[in-house]
Amino acid sequence: TTRFTRRTGLLAGAALAASTSGARADEAVAPITLRDLADARGIRIGAAVASRPLANELAYRDTLAREFSSVTCENVMKPSFVQATPGYFDFHASDAIVAFAAAHGMTVRGHTLVWHQQNPAWLERVAAVGENPAGALRDHIVGVVRHYRNDSPAPVPVWDVVNEALTDNGLMRDTLWSRALGPGYLADAFRWAHEADPDARLFYNDFGAEGLGRKSNAVHAMLRDLVGGGVPVHGVGLQMHVGIGHGHAPSGTDLAANIARLRALGLEVHVTEMDVKLQTGTGPDASRLADQAQVYADILSTCLDAGITSFTLWGFTDAHSWIPGFTGKPDGALPFDTAYEQKPAYHALARVLAGD
Ligand code: 9MR
């Protein structure tokens, strides 16, 4: 069986190149990467990117550019970063990531325009007591989307317009925007983004709505209503923050059924933020890493069969992941370890992409 490790991938690639081009088998041939394999399937493989390691770590930059064809700014495109001061847009941090992507032929998923977290204090105040909260939200959306519109130097063709607007029970989440504007803010946000860049593909993004259940039913119903009402929404992001151990990831059948019903609405489906926690499992490290590889493989395989077009991880190296900070426990939820070595999860993703 073909194993796409860097070393064996090198050998397999060299053998292939030698047989097809007459090159000597001992000549150096570029290793097969996740990116190559995803290209061959016509899908994007992506990672969330953090500014500091991108600026400071060569291994971070090299691995990102080699293995991935899509990037998402983990933080710096959010309102608290791009509009910390009312009316003054500061894109220096997001532009750096977008420029890196452009330089390496990668696409960008814009993240995110409307959320209940990472808003500047002034915007929260405007939403709570301001005279024109709708105007403030509209100006934010238009300011960001226009900066990255299709005819700009570094376009962002896809946006997570609204993030996490529903609760686990499938109700409208009580947020600064639902309080200020009522539930209609979702449709308005999509319309404003569409006005700012009619070419952009506009997504609703949420977590815990990957399989079948109350929340995914509500996401589906909400999107059905938006699509039915002629609102410019083109896709849905399934975040996919999951874990090893029973009940910490959706079953393949539920995931496939959910993707199918979303696609039946005419929507594109992306996996937008996948990581697989180890702390939810049991057993020695080696068996946890094997379980993690299996979860990555099962989910990617189901998603490919179900017709998703983009598969993004929330980071790529265990050296930089939100999980330990958030859970207060060490983990290792991504396919590269802290030394940028490929973990079993990496090989599992490569095998699935290769169709093995
Ligand atoms: O990974 C992000 C982390 O660095 C931030 O502190 C956090 C703030 O809430 O947001 C994280 O990213 C989130 C993403 O934007 C939306 N879905 C959940 C992600 C993980 O919390």
Side-chain angles (χ1 to χ4, degrees):
T1 67
T2 321
R3 299 223 8 186
F4 293 93
T5 66
R6 226 176 148 194
R7 271 173 301 274
T8 57
L10 184 70
L11 294 179
L16 190 67
S19 66
T20 55
S21 72
R24 293 198 342 258
D26 59 353
E27 265 176 42
V29 172
I32 293 168
T33 65
L34 297 182
R35 183 175 179 167
D36 297 332
L37 295 166
D39 280 353
R41 283 187 171 266
I43 70 153
R44 295 283 179 173
I45 180 106
V49 175
S51 298
R52 206 176 323 145
L54 187 71
N56 298 337
E57 292 181 48
L58 184 60
Y60 188 95
R61 284 196 291 279
D62 284 352
T63 308
L64 179 63
R66 186 182 69 235
E67 299 287 349
F68 298 96
S69 54
S70 176
V71 303
T72 305
C73 297
E74 184 173 357
N75 286 301
V76 297
M77 241 179 225
K78 294 169 181 171
S80 60
F81 288 83
V82 295
Q83 204 186 172
T85 308
Y88 292 88
F89 288 88
D90 177 359
F91 294 109
H92 80 275
S94 50
D95 279 354
I97 293 176
V98 174
F100 181 90
H104 294 92
M106 308 158 98
T107 193
V108 181
R109 296 194 81 267
H111 177 87
T112 179
L113 301 169
V114 184
W115 195 24
H116 59 282
Q117 292 183 28
Q118 291 178 294
N119 292 301
W122 73 264
L123 189 57
E124 292 188 343
R125 233 170 7 247
V126 168
V129 298
E131 273 172 22
N132 187 8
L137 183 58
R138 180 181 182 284
D139 289 351
H140 178 76
I141 292 172
V142 170
V144 180
V145 174
R146 285 198 69 77
H147 180 76
Y148 291 114
R149 70 188 177 275
N150 188 35
D151 56 356
S152 72
V156 171
V158 178
W159 287 95
D160 290 334
V161 176
V162 180
N163 194 41
E164 303 173 5
L166 300 182
T167 68
D168 293 347
N169 290 329
L171 303 172
M172 178 82 35
R173 188 189 290 277
D174 178 36
T175 73
L176 70 169
W177 298 120
S178 67
R179 282 193 291 275
L181 306 174
Y185 83 90
L186 275 118
D188 285 338
F190 283 99
R191 290 192 192 103
W192 292 327
H194 184 65
E195 259 169 53
D197 181 0
D199 295 326
R201 308 272 303 158
L202 307 180
F203 278 61
Y204 175 75
N205 189 50
D206 214 329
F207 64 88
E210 290 84 7
L212 295 177
R214 257 199 297 218
K215 187 166 187 178
S216 69
N217 290 346
V219 168
H220 175 262
M222 182 185 78
L223 288 166
R224 186 191 56 211
D225 292 349
L226 290 172
V227 169
V231 175
V233 53
H234 310 114
V236 53
L238 306 178
Q239 291 188 9
M240 206 67 77
H241 294 293
V242 300
I244 62 169
H246 184 71
H248 294 283
S251 76
T253 42
D254 284 9
L255 177 58
N258 191 37
I259 294 172
R261 69 178 171 173
L262 292 166
R263 290 190 65 208
L265 298 175
L267 297 171
E268 193 173 348
V269 182
H270 290 178
V271 167
T272 52
E273 308 187 11
M274 185 162 178
D275 44 27
V276 182
K277 286 184 282 296
L278 297 172
Q279 62 187 269
T280 50
T282 52
D285 285 358
S287 83
R288 289 191 203 215
L289 291 173
D291 291 349
Q292 180 182 54
Q294 193 64 48
V295 173
Y296 271 110
D298 289 346
I299 288 178
L300 176 58
S301 165
T302 300
C303 287
L304 291 175
D305 290 346
I308 64 121
T309 47
S310 174
F311 194 86
T312 288
L313 313 178
W314 207 239
F316 56 94
T317 164
D318 293 337
H320 303 288
S321 163
W322 71 293
I323 300 279
F326 180 75
T327 61
K329 293 179 195 155
D331 207 293
L334 292 164
F336 291 86
D337 70 15
T338 57
Y340 295 91
E341 292 294 330
Q342 297 162 348
K343 295 164 60 182
Y346 176 91
H347 305 301
L349 290 169
R351 269 196 303 276
V352 171
L353 285 172
D356 285 7

